[in-house]
């Protein structure tokens, strides 16, 4: 994905038990295959959770893996049999999605990443703004010091000029008198 990010989507869910459920002829067979379907899904969730894809070193990924179930009816049956399955899977860092929820899930993750990037940018902007303020404050202080130093130099210059050419007994007058003598 953009920004070198990754999202792990596992689509290897076996639907053999669901297929048998769908083609079962009796209610008892359907019940047995439905339980097998649910057990198969729970096992797959456990296996995905153990793999810890999100902690892979070279992947920038959310802390969960997406388990994609390509058949809506298989997805619906699993949640009908075990309504808290989604939460149990989520607690194991597995998000279960179907064709109708996959795109919304991916867009949500993308929006969260965008928001995270914007928050980081806002923090960086605030940090740089603070540094810029500090530089301006330092520059102003240096300009004030320079002005004071220039003022002192100007005052010293004026004093030297006075001694040389202005006031009673200045050097120019004394040199003129010396020349006259």
């Amino acid at each position: 994905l953009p920004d070198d990010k990754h999202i792990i989507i596992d689509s290897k869910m076996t639907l053999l038990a669901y297929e048998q459920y769908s083609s079962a002829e009796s209610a008892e067979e359907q019940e047995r295959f439905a339980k097998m379907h649910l057990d198969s899904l729970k096992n797959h969730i456990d296996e995905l959770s153990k793999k810890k894809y999100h902690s892979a070193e070279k992947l920038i990924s959310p802390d969960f893996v997406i388990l994609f179930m390509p058949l809506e009816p298989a997805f619906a049956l699993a949640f009908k049999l075990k309504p808290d399955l989604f939460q149990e899977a989520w607690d194991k860092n597995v998000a279960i999605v179907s064709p109708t929820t996959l795109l919304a899930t991916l867009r949500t993750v993308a929006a969260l990443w965008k928001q995270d990037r914007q928050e980081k940018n806002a923090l960086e902007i605030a940090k740089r703004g603070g540094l810029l303020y500090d530089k301006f404050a330092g520059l102003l202080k240096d300009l004030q010091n320079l002005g004071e130093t220039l003022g002192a130099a100007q005052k010293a210059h004026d004093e030297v000029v006075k001694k040389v050419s202005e006031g009673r007994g200045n050097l120019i007058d004394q040199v003129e008198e010396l020349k006259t003598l």
Side-chain angles (χ1 to χ4, degrees), residues 98-131:
S98 69
T100 57
T101 60
L102 176 62
L103 189 56
T105 302
L106 293 176
R107 284 191 175 164
T108 300
V109 169
L112 291 173
W113 274 338
K114 182 179 179 181
Q115 182 180 354
D116 180 60
R117 187 172 55 251
Q118 287 173 339
E119 286 175 13
K120 286 178 182 170
N121 285 347
L123 290 173
E124 184 64 22
I125 288 168
K127 176 184 168 190
R128 289 180 184 262
L131 292 172

Side-chain angles (χ1 to χ4, degrees), residues 97-170:
V97 299
S98 69
T100 57
T101 60
L102 176 62
L103 189 56
T105 302
L106 293 176
R107 284 191 175 164
T108 300
V109 169
L112 291 173
W113 274 338
K114 182 179 179 181
Q115 182 180 354
D116 180 60
R117 187 172 55 251
Q118 287 173 339
E119 286 175 13
K120 286 178 182 170
N121 285 347
L123 290 173
E124 184 64 22
I125 288 168
K127 176 184 168 190
R128 289 180 184 262
L131 292 172
L132 190 58
Y133 173 83
D134 292 344
K135 284 291 182 186
F136 272 122
L139 178 61
L140 179 60
K141 185 176 182 199
D142 289 347
L143 284 172
Q144 287 170 336
N145 289 341
L146 178 61
E148 290 170 8
T149 303
L150 287 174
Q154 183 66 47
K155 186 176 178 185
H157 173 266
D158 291 347
E159 290 295 319
V160 169
V161 168
K162 263 190 210 173
K163 289 178 184 171
V164 171
S165 65
E166 299 174 5
R168 229 172 25 151
N170 68 61

Side-chain angles (χ1 to χ4, degrees), residues 3-74:
D3 299 328
D4 290 325
K5 294 194 175 184
H6 304 86
I7 195 151
I8 309 300
I9 302 174
D10 179 274
S11 59
K12 298 178 296 226
M13 172 69 202
T14 177
L15 296 172
L16 183 59
Y18 177 76
E19 184 183 324
Q20 292 170 327
Y21 163 85
S22 297
S23 45
E25 295 182 11
S26 71
E28 289 111 20
E29 280 184 324
Q30 268 194 329
E31 188 176 323
R32 185 168 56 92
F33 289 125
K35 184 179 176 338
M36 286 174 61
H37 169 62
L38 185 60
D39 289 343
S40 173
L41 179 55
K42 287 161 120 182
N43 287 337
H44 197 66
I45 290 167
D46 289 341
E47 290 301 312
L48 282 177
S49 180
K50 287 177 190 170
K51 290 182 180 180
K52 299 197 182 301
Y53 284 118
H54 60 275
S55 22
E57 209 170 288
K58 293 185 179 180
L59 298 179
I60 301 172
S61 170
D63 62 351
F64 60 88
V65 63
I66 294 177
L67 190 163
F68 177 68
M69 292 185 68
L71 296 176
E72 291 287 343

